[in-house]
Amino acid sequence: MTAVDERSGPTRPFPPGFVWGVATSSYQIEGAVDADGRGPSIWDAFSRVPGAVAAGESGDPACDHYRRWPQDVELMAGLGVDAYRFSVAWPRVFPDGGGRADRRGLDFYRRLVDALNERGITPFVTLYHWDLPQALEERGGWRVRETAERFAEYAATVHGALDGVPYWITLNEPYCSSITGYAEGRHAPGAREGHGALAAAHHLLVGHGLAVARMRATARPGERIGVTLNMSPAVPASPSAEDAAAARRMDLMVNRQFTDPLLGGAYPGDMAEVYGEISDFSFRRDGDLALVSAPLDFLGVNYYYPIHAAAAPYGQPDPALRSAFDIGVRTVAPDGPPVSGLGWRIEPRGLHDTLTGLAGRYPGLPPVFITENGYGDAGELDDTGRIAYLRDHLAAAAEAIGAGVDVRGYFCWSLLDNFEWARGYAARFGLVHVDYATQARTPKASYHWYRETIAGQR
Ligand code: IFM
């Protein structure tokens, strides 16, 4: 192994009790898309659309985790993590989105939760990581309120069925589920709409609020409930007033559209101005914001990179955004910062600024878990780029903690190489390499580095 010794772990100690974890999601690792009565999800359908996913790939067979999960739990035990964040596949529990729960789907997660607890690994369960039952999409998907109501029923069912889960996360990255899926068409369901995407964003938040209320009513002692957002600071590309305004518009779309209602109980005041002609918010109902802003026990933050934003003439949308609507912004790639193996900018400062920015904007911010952070490449075993990325982002998190932000844990994305959505299997984020032809798992240099880092912080 090469660079592990030279690239030592973070020198700053993390607070006692800091949670070290890894994260995955159901559709990205499970495979077995027809097993035990699982119904189709929007990703099964979207993957079949020619050109939607690189090389025509899909989440079948992914890492075949549905059958190989005991081996994956052993990999986690070997890593020495405190916690594992995974998601439940809604179509395994309700193959048609609602009705009668399928015991077989729930049993799979019961076995997993039991095995984790037996090894002292705390389960963090995400209820929705993008695999909406296709049957619900055919009734309008997240554009319609009924999906939020079905989500709350599903959440209450899983919550009732799974004992031994202290941490519950309602949604993963509602920005991606709404804007990337319903406005940019890059993710399932592949829609390119303006108003539909805004309705989806709102109904995701309503679904979260309804689910929180249902779970609170039956919570077991010590259970904690939160939500996970992907956050990217929007940095003006230049000191000009125009670029500063463009960055604020981008910040609204990516961050404040979600954080303000969840943490502040109100939508941002500049929302109608930013969304212009698609600003028909008739899907909002009295009482929604009270529901959405019910107190959280923690906030999950996923951070990968900041967005550098410049003003763009309306009518000439940024082709990189591919959005069905126009907010007068162009993203730019500044000179300087290195990029990951996937070409994503590497700016650890963005994680620090996200965390301190949240604490500054929202008095009473609940404790934060960094529920995802990671590095994508083509799958090298000697993945020094990933090690450097993780080390520098952990240092940025430590600095934010030193500045007073209550960060309680860090989850590396991801335990395994997996199905990276529209990029298919070519983009790999794992600490463990997966040979998809044989399903052989091989720990990378970063796996050993992360294990040593965690051990060094004990
Ligand atoms: O793989 C995804 C994950 O599903 C959600 N957050 C970002 C990761 C890397 O793109």
Side-chain angles (χ1 to χ4, degrees):
M1 239 177 354
T2 55
V4 175
D5 294 340
E6 304 152 36
R7 293 167 186 267
S8 58
T11 47
R12 218 170 166 144
F14 281 77
F18 191 80
V19 172
W20 296 92
V22 283
T24 65
S25 88
S26 47
Y27 191 71
Q28 293 181 272
I29 64 166
E30 287 179 1
V33 295
D34 296 321
D36 294 339
R38 177 189 179 276
S41 77
I42 54 173
W43 272 93
D44 297 285
F46 183 63
S47 301
R48 280 197 292 274
V49 175
V53 175
E57 291 168 337
S58 75
D60 192 20
C63 308
D64 195 28
H65 171 81
Y66 192 73
R67 300 189 178 89
R68 294 168 195 263
W69 63 269
Q71 184 185 358
D72 296 335
V73 172
E74 289 314 317
L75 282 164
M76 287 181 246
L79 202 43
V81 288
D82 302 304
Y84 174 44
R85 173 179 176 241
F86 64 94
S87 76
V88 171
W90 186 347
R92 289 199 192 282
V93 179
F94 289 109
D96 298 321
R100 238 181 105 105
D102 194 310
R103 184 189 45 78
R104 294 167 294 177
L106 289 168
D107 282 348
F108 166 68
Y109 297 107
R110 280 196 190 103
R111 288 190 291 271
L112 178 60
V113 165
D114 288 349
L116 291 167
N117 281 318
E118 275 161 25
R119 281 162 186 72
I121 301 171
T122 301
F124 279 57
V125 167
T126 305
L127 289 158
Y128 184 68
H129 197 127
W130 308 355
D131 38 5
L132 182 70
Q134 176 63 14
L136 292 182
E137 179 56 28
E138 287 164 14
R139 297 217 291 272
W142 287 108
R143 300 172 193 86
V144 300
R145 185 171 287 257
E146 186 206 340
T147 299
E149 289 158 0
R150 293 286 88 77
F151 175 68
E153 285 164 18
Y154 153 72
T157 301
V158 177
H159 175 248
L162 295 188
D163 220 347
V165 177
Y167 290 87
W168 293 89
I169 296 170
T170 53
L171 306 175
N172 179 68
E173 304 184 355
Y175 169 80
C176 296
S177 309
S178 54
I179 306 296
T180 319
Y182 286 87
E184 297 179 12
R186 289 192 292 123
H187 281 182
R192 294 192 74 253
E193 301 167 16
H195 185 254
L198 299 191
H202 183 70
H203 291 138
L204 279 151
L205 291 175
V206 171
H208 156 83
L210 291 169
V212 170
R214 294 283 298 268
M215 293 194 288
R216 286 269 185 240
T218 54
R220 302 163 185 90
E223 281 183 351
R224 295 174 182 85
I225 304 173
V227 64
T228 278
L229 306 177
N230 53 309
M231 302 209 61
S232 286
V235 184
S238 81
S240 74
E242 290 77 16
D243 286 354
R248 275 196 68 71
R249 292 195 289 277
M250 186 56 109
D251 179 45
L252 177 135
M253 185 172 77
V254 177
N255 303 312
R256 288 183 287 123
Q257 174 169 215
F258 300 95
T259 51
D260 276 11
L262 283 164
L263 302 168
Y267 273 113
D270 50 346
M271 199 147 167
E273 182 195 326
V274 170
Y275 284 127
E277 61 188 21
I278 62 164
S279 297
D280 163 4
F281 302 123
S282 50
F283 43 74
R284 293 183 191 163
R285 292 199 190 155
D286 287 350
D288 281 359
L289 283 167
L291 196 65
V292 169
S293 61
L296 295 172
D297 300 315
F298 65 94
L299 176 71
V301 170
N302 294 354
Y303 173 81
Y304 290 86
Y305 50 76
I307 299 171
H308 295 264
Y314 282 90
Q316 295 173 34
D318 183 350
L321 296 174
R322 285 187 17 197
S323 182
F325 56 81
D326 187 358
I327 61 166
V329 177
R330 176 169 64 84
T331 57
V332 295
D335 292 339
V339 295
S340 77
L342 299 185
W344 294 5
R345 282 180 301 282
I346 301 176
E347 298 184 52
R349 185 83 206 162
L351 175 58
H352 169 273
D353 294 352
T354 295
L355 297 169
T356 53
L358 277 166
R361 185 171 175 84
Y362 304 106
L365 179 74
V368 172
F369 286 93
I370 298 166
T371 40
E372 283 182 32
N373 177 240
Y375 177 95
D377 62 16
E380 295 83 22
L381 289 179
D382 192 12
D383 53 343
T384 50
R386 177 166 295 106
I387 292 172
Y389 182 96
L390 299 178
R391 178 202 58 201
D392 293 348
H393 284 77
L394 281 168
E399 213 186 305
I401 294 169
V405 188
D406 185 3
V407 183
R408 300 276 176 96
Y410 175 92
F411 291 74
C412 174
W413 183 269
S414 180
L415 173 68
L416 303 169
D417 289 340
N418 58 50
F419 176 71
E420 177 55 17
W421 308 113
R423 290 173 181 258
Y425 294 102
R428 292 170 177 265
F429 280 84
L431 297 171
V432 175
H433 180 274
V434 176
D435 178 334
Y436 295 109
T438 62
Q439 291 295 348
R441 274 85 161 131
T442 308
K444 303 178 189 176
S446 58
Y447 175 97
H448 302 291
W449 176 87
Y450 196 41
R451 187 191 60 219
E452 286 164 25
T453 295
I454 295 170
Q457 291 282 337
R458 299 279 186 223

